[in-house]
Amino acid sequence: MPYMLISTQIRLENGPTNVGDEFSDPAVMNYLGARKTTMLGNNFSEYHVDDPPRLVLDKLEKLGFRVLSMTGVGQTLVWCLHKETDR
């Protein structure tokens, strides 16, 4: 999967960080040390790590991901990353 979104809530810039959904690459989630959780009332799962976004971004850069954009949506900070693939 060449695209990835990570996010955190404002005031929680030191973690936890949401790093994926139920369709995320299990190898990347394992590398990040992410745990899969399903919040009560949701019918989907998410992966979370206790690390702050900066450390997650550093780890993903080592895997070849690059930040495409970053924005704030309400009380949430979101980063969109991309990894080049061999065609």
Side-chain angles (χ1 to χ4, degrees), residues 16-74:
T17 304
N18 180 343
V19 294
D21 61 20
E22 57 198 343
F23 305 108
S24 296
D25 184 343
V28 174
M29 297 299 107
N30 187 52
Y31 172 77
L32 294 174
R35 62 191 178 282
K36 189 175 181 180
T37 60
T38 303
M39 299 292 284
L40 183 63
N42 288 349
N43 61 353
F44 59 91
S45 299
E46 297 176 301
Y47 283 95
H48 300 271
V49 295
D50 290 329
D51 296 332
R54 183 186 59 78
L55 291 180
V56 173
L57 292 169
D58 288 347
K59 289 178 180 180
L60 291 171
E61 182 179 39
K62 291 177 183 175
L63 292 180
F65 285 92
R66 300 288 180 255
V67 174
L68 291 181
S69 64
M70 185 272 178
T71 191
V73 182

Side-chain angles (χ1 to χ4, degrees), residues 64-85:
F65 285 92
R66 300 288 180 255
V67 174
L68 291 181
S69 64
M70 185 272 178
T71 191
V73 182
Q75 296 295 308
T76 304
L77 303 173
V78 182
W79 291 262
C80 178
L81 297 93
H82 181 263
K83 180 179 181 178
E84 291 294 325
T85 57

